[in-house]
Amino acid sequence: MAPQEQRFLVLFDFDETIISESSDDAVVRALPGQQLPDWLKQSYREGHYNEHMQKVLAYMAEQGVSKDSIHSAVEKIPPTPGLLNLLQYLQSHQQDFELVVVSDANMYFIETWLERAGVRHLFQKVFTNPASFDATGRLVLLPFHSHSCSRCPDNMCKQVILRDYLVSRQKERGGTPFQRVFYIGDGANDICPSLALGPRDTAFPRRDFPMHRLLLGMQQFKANVVPWASGEDIVDCLKKIIKER
């Protein structure tokens, strides 16, 4: 017999949503001088962050930063407040919630952190930029996909990912869609996927972060908006929704 399908889909951003800072910034501190040289900082072009990060990782390899140093820099990043309690709550209601990560970080950072925190098994899928170490010990980063959305950076539109996932999961679930979708994020690139949410869904922007500030200025937003400062705020909201059945 097929297992009971989960009724709700929960999507998480990673940097500054699951973890308390940008994983890229944390890893840069593994450099001998703990920061990037100005020429490299200044080479960043708006909308081309993935390309910039490829250069940063190449520079780190040239400076002799080892795989182990990168690994431990990622493992040391603290979670956001109350985040582990939120994941614990979702684990205790696994029959109701399917969890997915959608992040513009990279697979090596995300898998490393989730494994270390003991929560990787909770996530059905991680959508992010591919990254792995090559034979020379350099972490090689690639773009996730290409798309035609003018709002998003060239390597990732989270709305395209969300819409495709909802379609493919509905097929796999024998035509049953999720009853509700929850999107937890903090950044400007979390707005685009939130625009795909409907009136039964909820966007959880991290309070006073760019996603929250941008949502405050939006007139035509369909989904419910519940700002959070701690994972506990999200648990409180989900408890109410579960009671509604």
Side-chain angles (χ1 to χ4, degrees):
M1 189 178 128
Q4 180 64 38
E5 300 289 3
Q6 286 120 327
R7 300 181 297 149
F8 306 128
L9 175 64
V10 188
L11 302 126
F12 285 84
D13 171 47
F14 183 67
D15 286 337
E16 298 187 273
T17 296
I18 288 179
I19 58 171
S20 59
E21 67 173 317
S22 152
S23 50
D24 293 339
D25 294 349
V27 162
V28 162
R29 290 201 299 275
L31 276 164
Q34 299 204 336
Q35 57 174 336
L36 296 175
D38 289 340
W39 65 263
L40 187 47
K41 282 183 199 158
Q42 284 153 12
S43 74
Y44 167 61
R45 295 185 303 137
E46 187 69 42
H48 299 271
Y49 186 76
N50 184 266
E51 192 183 291
H52 172 67
M53 209 48 215
Q54 292 173 28
K55 289 183 199 156
V56 169
L57 292 168
Y59 173 77
M60 289 181 71
E62 281 160 24
Q63 295 300 303
V65 178
S66 68
K67 178 176 177 175
D68 286 349
S69 312
I70 290 179
H71 194 91
S72 74
V74 172
E75 288 193 336
K76 284 191 193 111
I77 305 168
T80 47
L83 184 278
L84 294 177
N85 298 29
L86 168 58
L87 290 179
Q88 217 170 352
Y89 171 77
L90 291 168
Q91 179 165 16
S92 65
H93 292 81
Q94 264 175 315
Q95 73 284 3
D96 280 316
F97 296 100
E98 175 168 309
L99 314 186
V100 171
V101 173
V102 187
S103 164
D104 196 12
N106 69 70
M107 195 59 91
Y108 183 76
F109 291 178
I110 295 176
E111 301 254 90
T112 296
W113 195 92
L114 295 177
E115 293 285 353
R116 176 78 179 81
V119 294
R120 175 63 188 90
H121 65 286
L122 298 179
F123 293 91
Q124 166 99 5
K125 185 103 175 116
V126 173
F127 292 101
T128 188
N129 302 297
S132 55
F133 283 90
D134 69 7
T136 70
R138 175 180 147 203
L139 184 55
V140 179
L141 175 67
L142 298 168
F144 176 75
H145 62 186
S146 57
H147 60 84
S148 53
C149 172
S150 59
R151 275 188 295 261
C152 290
D154 54 2
N155 63 298
M156 178 171 288
C157 170
K158 294 184 176 187
Q159 185 180 140
V160 167
I161 295 171
L162 171 54
R163 287 185 183 280
D164 288 352
Y165 189 71
L166 289 173
V167 168
S168 69
R169 287 300 284 132
Q170 187 167 341
K171 277 197 192 115
E172 288 162 7
R173 290 157 55 96
T176 310
F178 290 101
Q179 287 175 21
R180 295 174 190 267
V181 177
F182 304 106
Y183 189 98
I184 305 169
D186 73 283
N189 68 348
D190 294 315
I191 291 287
C192 196
S194 303
L195 295 173
L197 302 176
R200 291 176 59 79
D201 305 326
T202 303
F204 290 97
R206 191 172 177 191
R207 190 178 289 286
D208 300 329
F209 277 68
M211 179 188 183
H212 183 209
R213 291 196 291 269
L214 289 163
L215 282 175
L216 288 174
M218 289 178 68
Q219 309 295 307
Q220 319 268 232
F221 193 70
K222 293 197 211 67
N224 305 292
V225 177
V226 177
W228 61 281
S230 154
E232 309 286 355
D233 302 334
I234 300 172
V235 171
D236 292 342
C237 180
L238 295 178
K239 279 181 176 165
K240 289 185 194 127
I241 288 169
I242 271 210
K243 282 207 184 88
E244 289 170 17
R245 285 279 152 192

